[in-house]
Amino acid sequence: MGKRDFIIVADSACDLPHEYAEKNNLKVLSLKFYLDEKEYLNTLDFASMPAEEFYGRLRNGEHAKTAQVNSQEFYEAFKEILESGRDVLAILISAALSGTFNSANIAKQQLQEEYPDRNIILVDSISGSLGAGLVVEEAVEWKAKGKDIFQIEKHLNQFKHHVVHIFTHDDLSHLKAGGRMGTLLYWVGTALRIKPIISADDEGKLKLRHKVIGRKKSLRILLDRIDEFFDPSISDKMVIGHCDCLDETNQFVEELETRIKRKVTLVHMIGPVIGAHGGPGTIAAFFTAKAR
């Protein structure tokens, strides 16, 4: 029954533009973030809190906490789709970065007992932010070509290993607050103006690739790595995300386009859940390569 119609489900950590999700009939479930003990939804349209306000509060010394989509929310969303006569293809943030995938799996197990003849397919994107977004976009494009849910699942589980995300932070305090960096490394890094270059490995875990002194040098190395690894034969998309540093990002994009001799596909704000760990000034590139 692979030819039954299906809905593509994503979570809001994919950071895709709201307009894209609306246009392509995506069902997007929201992760949550907390500032001063108050809960906000991380929606793609930034309805709970404008991005500029969120990053402004981080710049003023606040630290945000985040929470996954829970299993009940997935259960209700999946059940509504199944009740409408369609199947579910859910493409979610790396299970190594969030418990969201596990929540979806709990909901899937419950619903498969209730709907034993239906398809609920989960794809761990092994990505976050617009890296997960690229995997979602690939699913949308394959669906538009008329591929069935199983063909798309097989393709995505290969494609995702070619999706690179590489980024640099400007402020290490949010990595430290989120438990991604020890106190000693934070103080040494801050004193020496160290700017880490981080990317995701083949399991979807974040790995420190370079420790660079100074912002300008970190952006130059980021450009070098993109230029070295980008393989447009897999996908010609080059997506740049940023945490409320548009002017600096535009300069970065201008230099990047000169180097790779093609236009960047999308420049977009990274949402609060991912941004809570990166902090203001993060610049990230998402593209395909032969390997991560």
Side-chain angles (χ1 to χ4, degrees):
M1 292 297 292
K3 281 296 184 185
R4 186 189 289 120
D5 191 21
F6 60 93
I7 293 289
I8 297 172
V9 178
D11 60 69
S12 63
C14 70
D15 285 336
L16 285 166
H18 171 68
E19 299 76 17
Y20 178 88
E22 291 271 293
K23 177 183 172 187
N24 292 287
N25 196 31
L26 301 180
K27 175 72 175 175
V28 182
L29 279 71
S30 295
L31 285 84
K32 303 166 193 73
F33 64 98
Y34 301 83
L35 280 168
D36 196 24
E37 305 303 319
K38 185 176 177 185
E39 181 181 283
Y40 301 89
L41 288 177
N42 181 120
T43 56
L44 297 182
D45 61 359
F46 298 95
S48 273
M49 180 182 290
E52 294 78 9
E53 180 184 341
F54 173 75
Y55 288 113
R57 289 178 66 168
L58 296 195
R59 284 190 176 97
N60 288 332
E62 291 189 64
H63 291 286
K65 294 180 179 177
T66 61
Q68 66 202 46
V69 183
N70 66 45
S71 58
Q72 184 61 31
E73 290 165 324
F74 275 117
Y75 177 87
E76 290 167 5
F78 291 171
K79 187 179 177 75
E80 184 181 336
I81 292 167
L82 296 173
E83 287 285 327
S84 75
R86 292 169 291 187
D87 287 342
V88 173
L89 174 61
I91 302 153
L92 305 168
I93 183 175
S94 170
L97 300 177
S98 169
T100 294
F101 184 87
N102 187 51
S103 293
N105 203 31
I106 292 168
K108 172 183 174 174
Q109 302 307 323
Q110 288 177 279
L111 285 162
Q112 289 211 303
E113 290 182 12
E114 299 172 40
Y115 299 86
D117 61 335
R118 302 294 295 282
N119 301 309
I120 304 169
I121 290 175
L122 308 183
V123 175
D124 176 356
S125 72
I126 61 168
S127 299
S129 191
L130 288 153
L134 283 178
V135 183
V136 173
E137 285 188 353
E138 191 76 2
V140 168
E141 289 170 18
W142 271 54
K143 185 181 182 190
K145 292 176 186 173
K147 303 293 186 183
D148 71 39
I149 197 168
F150 301 115
Q151 291 171 315
I152 297 172
E153 175 192 23
K154 183 180 178 182
H155 173 64
L156 295 183
N157 281 324
Q158 295 169 338
F159 176 79
K160 68 188 186 183
H161 291 284
H162 297 283
V163 175
V164 173
H165 14 23
I166 185 166
F167 50 94
T168 188
H169 301 294
D170 194 36
D171 177 355
L172 303 184
S173 69
H174 302 283
L175 282 175
K176 175 178 171 288
R180 303 295 201 273
M181 174 180 281
T183 302
L184 179 61
L185 183 57
Y186 164 69
W187 287 114
V188 171
T190 301
L192 295 177
R193 297 185 300 114
I194 286 175
K195 309 298 180 184
I197 307 283
I198 296 170
S199 67
D201 68 11
D202 236 15
E203 296 176 348
K205 296 175 183 173
L206 299 181
K207 297 290 184 185
L208 177 64
R209 304 297 185 182
H210 305 276
K211 287 185 279 187
V212 183
I213 295 177
R215 175 70 162 178
K216 285 185 178 176
K217 189 174 181 185
S218 73
L219 293 176
R220 193 165 68 248
I221 289 182
L222 200 58
L223 287 166
D224 291 344
R225 294 290 82 80
I226 298 166
D227 195 16
E228 180 182 354
F229 294 114
F230 177 40
D231 185 349
S233 72
I234 301 167
S235 168
D236 61 2
K237 293 187 177 117
M238 173 63 69
V239 176
I240 305 297
H242 69 95
C243 292
D244 197 32
C245 52
L246 184 58
D247 290 346
E248 197 174 23
T249 301
N250 284 338
Q251 291 174 4
F252 179 85
V253 166
E254 195 175 323
E255 172 68 23
L256 178 59
E257 289 179 337
T258 301
R259 288 214 195 186
I260 64 173
K261 297 181 174 55
R262 64 181 63 232
K263 286 289 183 187
V264 164
T265 320
L266 173 70
V267 177
H268 194 57
M269 184 83 78
I270 291 171
V273 162
I274 301 293
H277 302 289
T282 297
I283 295 178
F286 308 90
F287 56 94
T288 55
K290 284 191 169 56
R292 288 187 155 195

